[in-house]
Amino acid sequence: MKQVKFFILCLSVLLMSILQTLAQNQDARQDAHRPFDRESFIAARNAYITEKVGLTAKETSVFIPLDNELIRKKFEVGRECHRIERELKTKEGKTEEEYNKLLKCREEVKEKRDKLDKEYLEKFKKILTAEQIVKYQSADRAFFDEFVRERKKIEPLVK
């Protein structure tokens, strides 16, 4: 009788742990399908940059809107290229011409973004010191890297 009770207890513990694992996996899948919240991303990024660069309230009030404007413009520049890439990804029978079109688009986007970076660097120099700009650039990369790492924890890699 003790063996039966022990067996039932072990089986119950095992089932509970399996159910808990399945529930956690379900939560992770739901998080992965959650749409990207741009406002939360921008707010978190702005707070991160403000802290890492050590911006004063006055610097923050001038710099952050300008930085957000740069990010928005970079996004707009790449929008058409992203559309082409999505269409190509789902299309059957892709042609070399279509791949060349995407490559050309990516090259143009890179050039336009580089031009925007140069233009806004001059604007940033009027607000921040060179040291702060270097810290900003490092913080921007670090925030994005951290964001990507967190998303990869939630989203399964699709091949």
Side-chain angles (χ1 to χ4, degrees):
M1 188 67 169
K2 285 184 179 182
Q3 288 179 335
V4 172
K5 286 182 182 180
F6 180 74
F7 177 75
I8 291 174
L9 177 65
C10 289
L11 186 62
S12 299
V13 169
L14 180 64
L15 285 174
M16 287 175 47
S17 64
I18 290 172
L19 289 174
Q20 184 178 10
T21 302
L22 289 173
Q24 288 173 347
N25 288 341
Q26 180 65 27
D27 290 344
R29 282 192 296 273
Q30 287 174 348
D31 285 345
H33 296 293
R34 183 181 41 177
F36 177 70
D37 184 356
R38 183 175 295 173
E39 274 70 36
S40 294
F41 174 82
I42 290 172
R45 182 180 173 276
N46 291 344
Y48 186 88
I49 287 172
T50 299
E51 178 190 337
K52 294 297 181 185
V53 178
L55 298 177
T56 65
K58 185 178 180 183
E59 289 168 335
T60 300
S61 69
V62 178
F63 175 75
I64 293 296
L66 194 60
D67 182 46
N68 289 340
E69 182 179 295
L70 170 61
I71 298 302
R72 184 183 48 75
K73 285 182 178 182
K74 283 180 160 183
F75 177 79
E76 294 296 325
V77 164
R79 182 174 279 183
E80 177 63 16
C81 198
H82 291 300
R83 185 192 62 75
I84 292 169
E85 191 168 358
R86 278 192 310 273
E87 287 176 2
L88 190 59
K89 200 178 222 180
T90 59
K91 185 177 180 195
E92 295 289 326
K94 302 163 182 105
T95 66
E96 189 69 14
E97 182 181 329
E98 291 168 321
Y99 280 113
N100 281 324
K101 181 180 178 181
L102 178 59
L103 289 175
K104 184 175 177 10
C105 183
R106 285 179 175 176
E107 184 179 330
E108 290 170 356
V109 166
K110 184 177 181 340
E111 289 171 2
K112 288 176 183 178
R113 286 180 175 170
D114 287 347
K115 185 177 176 185
L116 281 170
D117 282 334
K118 189 173 182 177
E119 175 187 332
Y120 276 79
L121 177 60
E122 293 306 313
K123 293 178 181 185
F124 293 166
K125 286 180 180 178
K126 295 175 183 174
I127 302 165
L128 305 176
T129 66
E131 179 184 3
Q132 287 175 311
I133 293 171
V134 169
K135 285 181 178 180
Y136 153 73
Q137 291 169 338
S138 295
D140 187 35
R141 271 192 306 276
F143 179 81
F144 185 74
D145 291 347
E146 190 174 313
F147 174 78
V148 169
R149 263 193 310 278
E150 289 300 314
R151 292 292 284 193
K152 282 184 179 180
K153 286 180 186 176
I154 295 171
E155 295 177 5
L157 293 176
V158 178
K159 292 191 178 195

